[in-house]
Amino acid sequence: MKNNYKYLIAILLVFAFFLLLMLLINNKDEGQQPYNEIRTDDGLRLELEGSRVAGWGYKVFRNDKLLIHQKNIPAIEGNQTFLTADDAEKVGRLVIKKINQEEIPIITRMDLMKLNIKYTN
């Protein structure tokens, strides 16, 4: 009988440990991550913001002045955020490239396809 209690207590402790671990992992991602900063040589700066839960966006600065704050995927209807920080970074880098080439930094569906950006139709 004592062995049954020991096994039950051991199982409950293992279960409680995994439950606590899952809660800690899930709570890490709920808040907005303030930024991941990417600087370029020309005075432009790309900041990524968001989380896996809320989605991702980006900001483009020149000499600390905000030029673009993109919360949603450009060229797509609705308010779809980027699914990954990598997708937001790829589009943000393309915007910076267009600015550096003195082009209007418009992103098209074709640009999104070339960059392999995932979104729902």
Side-chain angles (χ1 to χ4, degrees), residues 36 48-58 73 81-91 115-119:
N36 293 317
L48 306 178
E49 62 179 5
S51 69
R52 287 183 301 191
V53 174
W56 292 89
Y58 63 86
I73 302 174
T81 57
F82 292 96
L83 298 176
T84 65
D86 186 51
D87 283 353
E89 180 179 344
K90 287 190 277 187
V91 174
L115 294 172
N116 197 27
I117 304 300
K118 294 169 186 58
Y119 58 91

Side-chain angles (χ1 to χ4, degrees), residues 14-107:
V14 169
F15 177 75
F17 172 76
F18 281 111
L19 182 63
L20 180 63
L21 184 63
M22 293 304 295
L23 287 172
L24 289 173
I25 290 171
N26 285 336
N27 284 340
K28 265 188 189 179
D29 197 52
E30 286 183 13
Q32 287 284 328
Q33 181 173 338
Y35 62 84
N36 293 317
E37 188 175 274
I38 301 156
R39 292 190 177 269
T40 62
D41 294 335
D42 50 14
L44 292 172
R45 185 175 83 235
L46 175 67
E47 288 185 3
L48 306 178
E49 62 179 5
S51 69
R52 287 183 301 191
V53 174
W56 292 89
Y58 63 86
K59 295 177 183 177
V60 177
F61 294 85
R62 173 172 274 145
N63 301 324
D64 294 324
K65 180 182 177 189
L66 180 65
L67 298 178
I68 298 169
H69 187 190
Q70 190 68 47
K71 293 180 180 181
N72 303 314
I73 302 174
I76 302 301
E77 288 184 31
N79 294 324
Q80 293 186 50
T81 57
F82 292 96
L83 298 176
T84 65
D86 186 51
D87 283 353
E89 180 179 344
K90 287 190 277 187
V91 174
R93 285 185 182 273
L94 178 58
V95 166
I96 287 175
K97 179 181 175 184
K98 289 185 177 197
I99 291 170
N100 285 334
Q101 294 174 348
E102 297 183 5
E103 297 177 22
I104 298 172
I106 294 174
I107 301 298

Side-chain angles (χ1 to χ4, degrees), residues 4-14:
N4 288 342
Y5 286 120
K6 287 181 184 178
Y7 288 121
L8 181 60
I9 290 172
I11 289 171
L12 288 174
L13 287 174
V14 169

